[in-house]
Amino acid sequence: MWSSVSEKIKSTLKKAMGGVAFSLSTGLSVGVFFLQFLDWWYSSENQETIKSLTALPTPPPPVHLDYNSDSPLLPKMKTVCPLCRKTRVNDTVLATSGYVFCYRCVFNYVRSHQSCPITGYPTEVQHLIKLYSPEN
């Protein structure tokens, strides 16, 4: 009886020691990684890269086109598509510039020119967002 109890205690202690050893090993590995990460993060090379990125000049603000001006790019009515000059169908906004067009018009334009038809900002087809109104 005593031998079986002592064997169970030995088995339990072996399992506990194995778990402690595994935890220490894992913790040590994570600790070494974290120290290397901190060393990299605060290295002078990394700081120089960050400084060079933040030293870039600020880009100019986007040109604001006013609907009240006599701009040939924008129609007088806000419900008209700037490309086809008809009442918009399937309203779609170009996230790059914020202007709203007919989906078909702006999709074809962006696919062929990769830019906003009003501002000329570079853009892609995935920047098109369908607008839903309560009537739809």
Side-chain angles (χ1 to χ4, degrees):
M1 177 174 167
W2 287 107
S3 64
S4 66
V5 171
S6 66
E7 286 178 21
K8 286 183 182 180
I9 291 173
K10 284 181 184 180
S11 172
T12 304
L13 283 175
K14 281 185 181 181
K15 287 181 184 178
M17 291 302 285
V20 168
F22 178 75
S23 297
L24 285 175
S25 171
T26 304
L28 187 61
S29 298
V30 169
V32 168
F33 170 79
F34 185 67
L35 287 175
Q36 286 181 340
F37 174 76
L38 288 177
D39 182 45
W40 169 80
W41 184 261
Y42 290 109
S43 70
S44 60
E45 295 170 5
N46 192 34
Q47 294 301 318
E48 289 173 12
T49 304
I50 291 171
K51 285 179 185 175
S52 70
L53 290 175
T54 57
L56 295 174
T58 306
V63 178
H64 178 70
L65 298 173
D66 189 10
Y67 272 95
N68 296 329
S69 69
D70 291 332
S71 171
L73 298 174
L74 294 173
K76 297 290 181 200
M77 294 179 57
K78 294 181 181 183
T79 58
V80 173
C81 173
L83 290 172
C84 68
R85 304 287 182 183
K86 297 177 184 171
T87 302
R88 286 191 309 259
V89 178
N90 201 3
D91 294 354
T92 303
V93 68
L94 184 56
T96 309
S97 63
Y99 288 99
V100 182
F101 307 89
C102 298
Y103 176 77
R104 185 174 294 186
C105 297
V106 73
F107 178 82
N108 291 332
Y109 187 92
V110 169
R111 188 174 58 181
S112 60
H113 297 91
Q114 286 85 40
S115 66
C116 172
I118 304 297
T119 62
Y121 294 158
T123 191
E124 298 174 3
V125 173
Q126 59 257 33
H127 296 148
L128 298 175
I129 302 170
K130 166 80 170 109
L131 296 179
Y132 294 94
S133 60
E135 303 87 52
N136 294 352

